[in-house]
Amino acid sequence: MNGNALIQVRGLKKHYNDGAVRALDGIDTDIKKGEVVVIIGPSGSGKSTFLRSLNLLELPTEGSIVFDGEDIAAKHVNINKHRQKMGMVFQHFNLFPNMTILRNMTIAPTKLLKIPKEEAEKTARDLLKRVGLEDRADAYPSQLSGGQKQRIAIVRALCMKPEVLLFDEPTSALDPEMVGEVLDVMKTLAKTGMTMVVVTHEMGFAREVGSRVIFMADGVIVEEGTPSEIFDSPKSDRLKGFLAKVL
Amino acid sequence: MADWLEKLKSDFILNFVEDNRWMNITRGLKNTVIITIFAAIIGVILGLTVAAIRTTYDKNRETMKKNGGIGYWVMTFLNNVCKIYLSIFRGTPVVVQLMIMFYIIFASSTHGVMVAIISFGINSGAYVAEIFRGGIMSIDNGQFEAGRSLGFNYLQTMIFVVLPQVFKNILPTLLNEFIALLKETSVAGYVGVTDLTRGGYIIRGVTFSAFMPLVGIAIIYYVMVMLLTHLVSRIERRLKKSER
Ligand SMILES: Nc1ncnc2c1ncn2[C@@H]1O[C@H](COP(=O)(O)OP(=O)(O)OP(=O)(O)O)[C@@H](O)[C@H]1O
Ligand SMILES: [Mg+2]
């Protein structure tokens, strides 16, 4: 086993309808500390299913996911403890609409980590400052633009001090002029050494920020490598065809 | 003074003033209010419980099945009990349920009001359960996933994230259910409980004049319903305003 693998995935399968749909059909990979793994691939290739399996929002049909020395895909695992250390950012933000921005960010740390309210709020305000939204602490999600909501969603996840952040197409629901502000936050985050797994269609981001790019198709990893290996010298025809379409 | 006005006045005195007949009305009104309030409380507790069981089962079936063990079977059993309860109590008339309760299940009880409270409460619970369940189901699954991904367990996600939104959304519907309940309690007289309706009915039996007592109680019901309706629309407006 690789010593610095934060998440070790082996033989991961997810089948629907008794195997009629094989969303994931045997995934093996290690996600190392500090890595920014970017997952690309055509629609329906299983990118979201893979990402959502990592924190068990999807229950694997088969295989193992070792995180913090425990196979979290096994029976009777307290997944809630592990999820506290795996932040997730969704395509549609999923902020809590009935809470202020500050409350969105402090509810989990105060309730789950038992961090005192003042301390949690201070952490939250510091993070808000880092993404340039310190003046929106008392606003409600519906008062924010899409780009602002997604930046809040990112710092909400950070408030739990996670070991890894999972992103499922974080910019796909945004107006084009707001994509940049979210990607900028993610870039900054990557520079601080945060481990990130990012499903995205933003090839520019993948090339610039990714330490490794995984190309998926039909529920399997077809090709993986550094951004330049994937984008400049693709080997498989599937990847060549895909890149021809998206670049 | 016009003849009809004279007639109205003497009618009023005959039906409400003489022999303190108005007391039938106030006693009945008191019971109507008591039955409605306590039945509503039972309805909410029962409805919330049933909705919790049903949605927990729906949302966690896959995980529970995977982990195996007794939990899955217990939840399946409870879920089926809830389904049967909903089906029976929404599928039969409330007045028939009331009579079965009074003449069969609590046949030895002399506490008519109590039996009426239990009966209307259980009936209302079936409707409230579906209101809550609809409310929970209408919350975007992304809210559950966001809660769970932060590390909240299923119950914490419900309590901290989902239910506050549900309460806000369904409050008007819930209050309308209680308005319907208030009117429904008017069949309590079938098992001899002196509610508002029966109070008016008793007066009619003594004075042999139907107009004054029946229109009288109709007005009282109407005023109560209008007050509650007004309250609901005010709350609705408040909620809309806070919907930023
Ligand atoms: N609940 C489900 N039941 C049946 N099939 C499903 C279910 N969820 C996903 N699938 C199937 O699994 C496959 C992988 O889906 P997934 O959402 O992971 O793809 P994706 O790569 O994220 O696609 P996109 O780029 O469109 O988001 C698809 O064929 C999809 O239809
Ligand atoms: Mg997807």
Side-chain angles (χ1 to χ4, degrees):
Chain A
M1 180 180 150
N2 197 323
N4 57 355
L6 185 60
I7 308 176
Q8 190 190 56
V9 181
R10 290 295 176 268
L12 184 65
K13 293 187 183 180
K14 173 69 179 183
H15 294 178
Y16 289 106
N17 310 336
D18 294 320
V21 179
R22 298 166 173 237
L24 296 179
D25 213 9
I27 302 275
D28 297 271
T29 193
D30 285 355
I31 292 161
K32 301 183 193 71
K33 260 199 168 65
E35 242 190 337
V36 177
V37 178
V38 179
I39 303 173
I40 60 173
S43 180
S45 57
K47 306 181 297 292
S48 298
T49 308
F50 172 58
L51 192 78
R52 293 159 53 81
S53 298
L54 293 179
N55 67 351
L56 255 61
L57 283 185
E58 304 287 349
L59 286 181
T61 311
E62 230 182 278
S64 67
I65 301 167
V66 178
F67 177 68
D68 267 353
E70 189 174 14
D71 178 8
I72 59 175
K75 282 183 181 185
H76 305 296
V77 170
N78 180 2
I79 188 60
N80 304 309
K81 277 275 169 236
H82 293 292
R83 280 186 183 142
Q84 294 177 9
K85 296 181 222 150
M86 307 172 116
M88 186 163 220
V89 176
F90 301 86
Q91 183 175 354
H92 295 286
F93 332 124
N94 299 349
L95 297 178
F96 306 133
N98 55 331
M99 300 176 199
T100 63
I101 299 309
L102 201 61
R103 190 68 186 138
N104 262 279
M105 296 174 69
T106 56
I107 185 162
T110 51
K111 303 273 185 207
L112 293 172
L113 306 178
K114 309 287 179 213
I115 292 174
K117 186 162 169 270
E118 301 71 41
E119 195 185 324
E121 288 188 351
K122 186 177 177 305
T123 309
R125 285 184 197 280
D126 287 347
L127 282 165
L128 283 175
K129 203 172 287 171
R130 270 169 53 186
V131 295
L133 291 169
E134 64 267 39
D135 54 333
R136 309 314 308 268
D138 299 313
Y140 283 83
S142 61
Q143 298 169 316
L144 304 183
S145 72
Q148 291 176 326
K149 281 185 205 168
Q150 196 60 300
R151 284 186 276 160
I152 299 293
I154 294 171
V155 287
R156 174 176 72 177
L158 287 178
C159 281
M160 290 296 285
K161 306 205 165 61
E163 293 173 12
V164 54
L165 269 188
L166 312 174
F167 295 81
D168 192 1
E169 301 200 24
T171 57
S172 295
L174 298 177
D175 291 336
E177 73 269 21
M178 294 175 184
V179 170
E181 64 192 63
V182 172
L183 292 182
D184 282 344
V185 169
M186 292 169 63
K187 271 178 219 168
T188 316
L189 206 52
K191 281 196 198 112
T192 66
M194 172 59 81
T195 312
M196 295 159 64
V197 185
V198 185
V199 173
T200 187
H201 295 295
E202 296 292 331
M203 296 304 149
F205 176 86
R207 187 189 269 277
E208 189 188 343
V209 186
S211 33
R212 179 156 55 104
V213 179
I214 292 179
F215 171 67
M216 285 183 67
D218 296 332
V220 296
I221 295 179
V222 176
E223 214 171 315
E224 63 179 310
T226 63
S228 78
E229 282 168 351
I230 293 292
F231 292 112
D232 300 331
S233 48
K235 294 185 195 73
S236 65
D237 291 340
R238 289 295 302 261
L239 177 55
K240 283 177 194 161
F242 175 76
L243 291 176
K245 260 184 238 151
V246 298
L247 289 181
Chain B
M1 206 185 277
D3 272 1
W4 63 271
L5 211 60
E6 266 316 316
K7 168 91 171 58
L8 211 60
K9 190 181 158 201
S10 67
D11 235 25
F12 186 87
I13 290 172
L14 170 69
N15 282 293
F16 296 133
V17 183
E18 262 176 36
D19 285 343
N20 283 339
R21 292 200 178 107
W22 56 271
M23 285 179 76
N24 287 300
I25 301 286
T26 51
R27 188 150 43 96
L29 178 61
K30 192 180 119 207
N31 281 338
T32 291
V33 170
I34 288 175
I35 293 170
T36 305
I37 290 176
F38 286 99
I41 293 172
I42 293 178
V44 167
I45 295 171
L46 201 57
L48 197 53
T49 310
V50 170
I53 292 172
R54 299 257 288 139
T55 49
T56 303
Y57 178 79
D58 286 347
K59 286 195 178 284
N60 297 300
R61 188 169 21 187
E62 216 187 327
T63 320
M64 288 187 300
K65 207 167 181 175
K66 177 184 159 223
N67 283 333
I70 191 93
Y72 176 69
W73 298 107
V74 171
M75 280 308 291
T76 307
F77 174 75
L78 288 177
N79 185 53
N80 283 325
V81 170
C82 289
K83 272 164 119 171
I84 292 168
Y85 158 67
L86 294 175
S87 162
I88 290 176
F89 281 86
R90 289 170 357 124
T92 54
V94 65
V95 63
V96 175
Q97 295 165 19
L98 181 68
M99 290 198 283
I100 289 176
M101 212 56 109
F102 193 81
Y103 293 114
I104 301 174
I105 298 173
F106 292 105
S108 57
S109 169
T110 50
H111 297 284
V113 173
M114 192 65 110
V115 175
I117 287 173
I118 293 171
S119 189
F120 286 113
I122 294 177
N123 177 269
S124 178
Y127 291 91
V128 171
E130 290 299 86
I131 294 173
F132 272 118
R133 198 165 82 93
I136 294 170
M137 287 306 184
S138 75
I139 299 294
D140 178 19
N141 204 41
Q143 294 290 308
F144 280 95
E145 293 189 342
R148 297 305 303 271
S149 77
L150 285 166
F152 286 118
N153 64 30
Y154 175 77
L155 194 66
Q156 290 168 324
T157 304
M158 270 294 179
I159 292 171
F160 296 135
V161 175
V162 178
L163 285 182
Q165 297 182 49
V166 171
F167 274 115
K168 198 177 142 187
N169 292 348
I170 67 166
L171 194 58
T173 320
L174 203 56
L175 291 174
N176 281 323
E177 161 63 22
F178 298 145
I179 292 175
L181 175 66
L182 170 69
K183 289 183 286 181
E184 250 170 27
T185 60
S186 63
V187 298
Y190 271 89
V191 296
V193 173
T194 309
D195 72 326
L196 179 57
T197 303
R198 193 170 156 84
Y201 192 77
I202 290 171
I203 295 176
R204 190 204 65 98
V206 180
T207 62
F208 296 107
S209 93
F211 180 82
M212 198 47 85
L214 296 187
V215 171
I217 59 172
I219 290 172
I220 297 175
Y221 275 115
Y222 185 71
V223 168
M224 286 195 289
V225 170
M226 282 305 116
L227 284 176
L228 287 171
T229 309
H230 178 70
L231 182 75
V232 175
S233 59
R234 270 187 56 170
I235 289 173
E236 246 176 335
R237 240 176 299 140
R238 276 271 288 281
L239 291 178
K240 277 233 177 66
K241 228 194 262 164
S242 72
E243 212 146 78
R244 286 154 269 234

